[in-house]
Amino acid sequence: MVGGGALVRKPASPVGPLALLHRPVPEPPSSLRRGPLREGAWRSPLRSERTATLLGMWVGVAFAVCFATGLLSHLIQNPPSWFGWPSRPVNLYRVTQGLHVISGFAAIPLLLAKLWTVYPKLFEWPPVRSLLHAIGRLSLLVLVGSAIFQLVTGVLNVARWYVVMPFFFTTAHYWTAWIAIGAILVHVGSKLAIIRIGLSEPAAAEPPAAAVAGGLTRRSFLTAVAATSGVVALTTAGQTVPALSGITVFGQRDPRLGLQGLPVNKSAASAGVLETAVDPTHRITLDGPRPQQLSLAVLRSLPQHTVRLPITCVEGWSATADWTGIRMADLLDMMGLPEDAEVTVESLQESGLYRASVLAPPHSRDPLTLLALRLNGADLHIDHGYPARLIAPNRPGVLQTKWVSRVRAL
Ligand code: HEM
Ligand SMILES: Nc1nc2c(c(=O)[nH]1)N[C@H]1C(S)=C(S)[C@@H](COP(=O)(O)O)O[C@H]1N2
Ligand SMILES: [Mo]
């Protein structure tokens, strides 16, 4: 019951510096209240606590999935001492990184719908009620800005449109992820009361369709947004889910296409190894307690094994192939290294972030980890790393070093 003689207790007014935060600021002259600032300028009943809450929850879930899977990918590539990542199941990273990009794309229509639902609040009157109110409004800039930044940079990255990003994608995307998640948590905390209203408002409370702009009800609006998001997810997933490859729209790679049935990430030409990789005097150096240099002929004479493993690019595409070569465990034994040894696998490629990778347990001694010489039944194509490349289970593509020149004990 509201009013009706009920005793309403006024909140105790804060004292000291806090009072400054709450002190009302004068309202601007009402002659400025025009256009979108007018009272009643925004009347679509599709914008309600309920739609804002539900859309916010969906965006929140998509961002939580992105944050968890992105953080995992970061930890796998930059492992702190407390972090361990298994080498099985072989497709686990494929699932988590696939989910990252799929839920990121699916978040785009959700975020757009959410912003459409709440943007009239930009024109709230009076624009500022107190310092606290102003800080609250500014914090929304951080929230919206970081959320848009994550989606835009993510899309630009998988579209391989690096030139429009005047910063290193991974670092910017990583730190902004923390800002976005922090801003989401603060936002949810500050809106708990409205969220409660949004969740308790029965769907039936909505105005009859006839009374609604364009006849669109809240329910059909939400359904359309959810369906758009679902279609985006399905047409992105084909770059990692073979059954969906035929309907890929937003995936950047078709995993069925490419040299030897596998997409190429970096070509031999762009890595600058066109000549060195086919040089007949090329030797692979094993740098450890028992150093040695192996020619391709010697590598071919060692016991060969064939494994079926995916390449899982951090950019979300993945594809399975048959790889044949020497077990890394055998090479580490030849080098005289103990079970727990870590090595770096280095490339003929002279510069570039992905010219070398660290190989540590459990991946280093997993029987599925090979120095591969062959792919899908033929010698490696030069773009896939001829004469030899690393392939290990459950590992991001950036760590599957091509054109191996040296294995060095750490
Ligand atoms: C369309 C949306 C998105 C796409 C396409 C996308 C794409 C990517 C890609 C390709 C990477 C791998 C970077 C690398 O290892 O080189 C990545 C990493 C990451 N993403 Fe996203 N992302 C999206 C949205 C998000 C969102 C919403 C968040 C979190 C709020 C997020 C958090 C992260 C984190 C923490 C990493 C790890 C960065 C690192 O390894 O340092 N991403 N993302
Ligand atoms: N030397 C070297 N190896 C590399 C790369 C690279 O840039 N340089 N790119 C990696 C990346 S990002 C991926 S996804 C895989 C792709 O392997 P593929 O081109 O054979 O499909 O190779 C990895 N190996
Ligand atoms: Mo990659």
Side-chain angles (χ1 to χ4, degrees):
M1 190 168 77
V2 183
L7 200 76
V8 182
R9 247 202 318 153
K10 268 177 91 183
S13 21
V15 284
L18 275 184
L20 191 66
L21 282 176
H22 290 274
R23 183 183 302 158
V25 298
E27 194 176 317
S30 56
S31 57
L32 290 178
R33 200 169 183 194
R34 302 209 184 126
L37 294 168
R38 251 172 25 242
E39 184 156 19
W42 302 92
R43 274 200 304 223
S44 171
L46 297 181
R47 299 192 172 96
S48 67
E49 277 91 8
R50 186 173 174 77
T51 45
T53 301
L54 288 179
L55 288 169
M57 278 172 46
W58 298 347
V59 175
V61 168
F63 269 61
V65 171
C66 278
F67 185 66
T69 52
L71 203 57
L72 182 67
S73 179
H74 177 86
L75 290 170
I76 297 168
Q77 291 178 66
N78 312 277
S81 56
W82 53 265
F83 181 79
W85 179 245
S87 57
R88 309 292 174 90
V90 301
N91 283 311
L92 185 57
Y93 180 73
R94 184 181 199 177
V95 172
T96 64
Q97 195 59 14
L99 264 181
H100 185 82
V101 172
I102 294 168
S103 60
F105 271 78
I108 295 170
L110 302 179
L111 184 66
L112 289 176
K114 166 82 185 176
L115 292 177
W116 178 83
T117 308
V118 297
Y119 89 95
K121 293 214 177 289
L122 276 177
F123 308 104
E124 195 177 38
W125 193 267
V128 173
R129 277 185 261 132
S130 63
L131 193 53
L132 187 65
H133 180 232
I135 295 172
R137 293 199 74 187
L138 280 178
S139 77
L140 292 176
L141 272 185
V142 178
L143 175 70
V144 175
S146 59
I148 292 177
F149 183 87
Q150 284 307 87
L151 299 186
V152 169
T153 54
V155 169
L156 290 177
N157 183 258
V158 301
R160 326 198 92 234
W161 205 10
Y162 310 118
V163 285
V164 297
M165 290 189 274
F167 42 79
F168 178 50
F169 163 80
T170 313
T171 309
H173 191 75
Y174 174 73
W175 287 109
T176 312
W178 287 98
I179 298 174
I181 285 298
I184 289 175
L185 290 177
V186 169
H187 179 66
V188 169
S190 73
K191 297 287 178 194
L192 278 178
I194 296 180
I195 292 171
R196 222 166 279 136
I197 297 172
L199 289 180
S200 61
E201 182 184 312
E206 73 167 288
V212 164
L216 191 65
T217 61
R218 279 177 207 158
R219 177 184 291 263
S220 45
F221 170 60
L222 288 172
T223 308
V225 172
T228 308
S229 175
V231 167
V232 170
L234 284 175
T235 51
T236 304
Q239 60 181 342
T240 182
V241 181
L244 295 172
S245 294
I247 58 163
T248 301
V249 178
F250 298 105
Q252 291 307 308
R253 298 301 180 90
D254 184 335
R256 299 166 303 179
L257 304 180
L259 296 161
Q260 295 180 294
L262 187 71
V264 167
N265 192 269
K266 191 169 193 73
S267 69
S270 66
V273 299
L274 277 178
E275 272 130 53
T276 45
V278 295
D279 181 346
T281 67
H282 173 50
R283 299 284 180 274
I284 289 179
T285 306
L286 303 184
D287 239 350
R290 287 204 291 271
Q292 48 213 295
Q293 298 210 317
L294 310 177
S295 67
L296 183 54
V298 169
L299 286 170
R300 283 180 177 145
S301 70
L302 297 171
Q304 305 289 304
H305 300 269
T306 297
V307 301
R308 194 166 170 72
L309 286 180
I311 287 274
T312 303
C313 184
V314 292
E315 294 174 0
W317 65 267
S318 66
T320 298
D322 289 316
W323 307 90
T324 304
I326 307 104
R327 279 196 179 137
M328 192 54 75
D330 292 349
L331 291 177
L332 300 185
D333 283 342
M334 286 171 65
M335 291 167 74
L337 288 173
E339 285 289 315
D340 59 352
E342 295 187 5
V343 294
T344 52
V345 179
E346 298 171 7
S347 174
L348 282 171
Q349 182 188 349
E350 279 171 7
S351 60
L353 271 182
Y354 307 127
R355 64 165 304 278
S357 67
V358 172
L359 185 63
H363 299 80
S364 48
R365 294 274 178 172
D366 192 297
L368 294 179
T369 300
L370 303 183
L371 182 67
L373 308 178
R374 296 168 69 78
L375 162 58
N376 288 335
D379 280 354
L380 283 172
H381 188 279
I382 190 166
D383 284 338
H384 283 304
Y386 178 92
R389 67 102 43 91
L390 175 64
I391 184 80
N394 196 28
R395 199 167 143 92
V398 289
L399 303 180
Q400 310 277 33
T401 311
K402 303 198 278 192
W403 314 290
V404 170
S405 61
R406 191 154 83 126
V407 179
R408 183 166 56 90
L410 280 177

